[in-house]
Amino acid sequence: MRDATHCTIHPAVDLTEFSSLTVPTYRASTIVFEDAEAYATRGERDLDSYMYGLYGTPTTKTLEAQITKLENGVRSVIVPSGQAGATIVFLSVLLPGDTVLIPDSVYPPVLDFCVNYLQPRGICHKIYQPDGTGIEDLIDPSVKLIWTETPGSTTMEFQDLRAIAALGKKHGILTGADNTWATPLHLKPLDLGIDFSMQALSKYAGGHSDLLLGSICVNDLELRKKLRDTMRMLGIGVSPDEVALVLRGIETMALRLAHVEQVARNLAEELASRPDVGLVLHPALADFPQHTLWKRDFSGASGVFNVVLTESQEANLDEGLNQLKVIAIGASWGGTRSLIAPMSVKKGRKFAKPEHQRTILRINVGLEDQEDLRSDLKALFDILSSSDKSN
């Protein structure tokens, strides 16, 4: 009798009558080839084929196709995080002696990557004003990439992507955009001439604060090849389980984004009408410095906006945050829970403005009842302003 411990069974399952609305989660390291010739010639397969699990499964490719459609692009790659999206773009096009231009309002870990990883390896960076002015003055033959983040998630400065894309094409320089705040539903950088459109799928696409992923979309197959080659050489891949979570979240992204956009706009307008509230940074407000630029290029806003505190309000910040009942204290955004995070940029800016010396409250509106959020923010700012009222 055969020893059962040495018996391997590979059953075949009949799927002819099975159909599901969800995308299967394909987990694989090994890809099986149909015959010896297919295996011997696997290196000749194009980037849309399957060769090894690290380079994608049907689950991954489904999400790539969905992102590509939303971005109006040609191809997309899925990466482990939004930060990885930025760094992989940089590594795919920059060599020692090259320079990348980044905005003063860039996501701080991107600046850290430039200073502490690229710079010691001979790749330089230059910082331009967060509204994009003066970029052309920084261009020399070493500049190979202009990176944008519009808006910066703390101070909300916007860059003119049309002008930057045109500038890049004029000088033969590639351009990239972090499109996480708006998502491709409200902004399509590739349509404006940008070469790389990156977003942190951890935010609105995932939508539930339970995953880390990013995407990069391009209109040029050669740029996609550079991205994929960089990922392959670094051994970078993504988990199909996290991809499956984004495939679930992206189904409701438009509905969630429409809701949080409206509630955030309502709350921003109400806070801006309070005489004791400082500068409210939301592009839909008519007095926002770059309101016209936002209206021109964006079809809407997200649920993230910011409030600059006064010096006296900073003294009561801990007390105010500790009494919040609905809004949680935490970084990141784009999920179902409303979040608030006190931010400080006064030590990290080259082109400082007066408001950069103050604490900035970043508010992410989630899916809670608007009245509950309004009550929470009212109580918060009543406490923050209590010292003013007592004087």
Side-chain angles (χ1 to χ4, degrees), residues 8-56:
T8 304
I9 300 174
H10 303 288
V13 179
D14 184 0
L15 299 177
T16 55
E17 295 181 349
F18 178 81
S19 181
S20 172
L21 293 174
T22 61
V23 179
T25 303
Y26 290 95
R27 303 178 183 91
S29 57
T30 298
I31 303 297
V32 177
F33 295 82
E34 58 270 24
D35 52 39
E37 182 183 2
Y39 182 76
T41 59
R42 66 192 184 281
E44 300 173 12
R45 295 188 173 189
D46 63 32
L47 295 180
D48 293 317
S49 300
Y50 300 101
M51 189 189 316
Y52 189 64
L54 182 67
Y55 313 132

Side-chain angles (χ1 to χ4, degrees), residues 110-315:
V110 173
L111 175 60
D112 184 61
F113 178 72
C114 290
V115 172
N116 294 309
Y117 187 88
L118 294 182
Q119 190 168 297
R121 290 161 177 80
I123 299 174
C124 301
H125 66 280
K126 296 179 183 177
I127 299 172
Y128 61 86
Q129 294 192 53
D131 64 359
T133 58
I135 290 180
E136 191 159 20
D137 296 335
L138 300 177
I139 292 177
D140 60 35
S142 74
V143 176
K144 297 298 189 294
L145 176 67
I146 304 173
W147 187 251
T148 67
E149 184 177 327
T150 186
S153 63
T154 300
T155 48
M156 300 295 286
E157 290 101 340
F158 285 72
Q159 293 102 53
D160 187 334
L161 294 190
R162 294 177 187 269
I164 290 173
L167 192 62
K169 288 175 171 52
K170 173 184 173 182
H171 293 276
I173 299 169
L174 293 169
T175 54
D178 182 336
N179 193 31
T180 303
W181 180 84
T183 83
L185 296 180
H186 286 331
L187 177 70
K188 300 188 188 301
L190 301 182
D191 285 356
L192 304 181
I194 296 294
D195 296 298
F196 299 96
S197 180
M198 186 278 286
Q199 59 174 318
L201 301 176
S202 318
K203 307 295 196 294
Y204 286 112
H208 294 80
S209 306
D210 56 2
L211 64 95
L212 290 168
L213 278 183
S215 66
I216 311 163
C217 188
V218 296
N219 268 333
D220 185 321
L221 289 177
E222 184 58 32
L223 292 181
R224 192 272 294 258
K225 185 177 186 303
K226 288 178 180 291
L227 294 170
R228 284 288 298 271
D229 285 348
T230 300
M231 294 170 65
R232 173 180 55 80
M233 288 183 285
L234 294 174
I236 292 175
V238 298
S239 164
D241 294 276
E242 289 189 306
V243 170
L245 291 176
V246 177
L247 288 169
R248 179 198 65 184
I250 210 168
E251 297 271 351
T252 61
M253 181 169 70
L255 292 173
R256 289 184 284 103
L257 195 58
H259 174 79
V260 300
E261 175 187 7
Q262 186 58 60
V263 174
R265 188 179 301 199
N266 293 344
L267 295 174
E269 290 173 348
E270 291 168 11
L271 288 174
S273 70
R274 286 184 55 151
D276 60 332
V277 172
L279 182 63
V280 177
L281 303 174
H282 191 302
L285 299 181
D287 59 354
F288 182 76
Q290 295 170 296
H291 176 71
T292 302
L293 177 62
W294 168 73
K295 287 189 67 175
R296 187 194 73 183
D297 290 341
F298 293 70
S299 62
S302 73
V304 176
F305 68 98
N306 304 281
V307 180
V308 181
L309 300 184
T310 65
E311 184 175 2
S312 59
Q313 288 174 331
E314 291 179 342

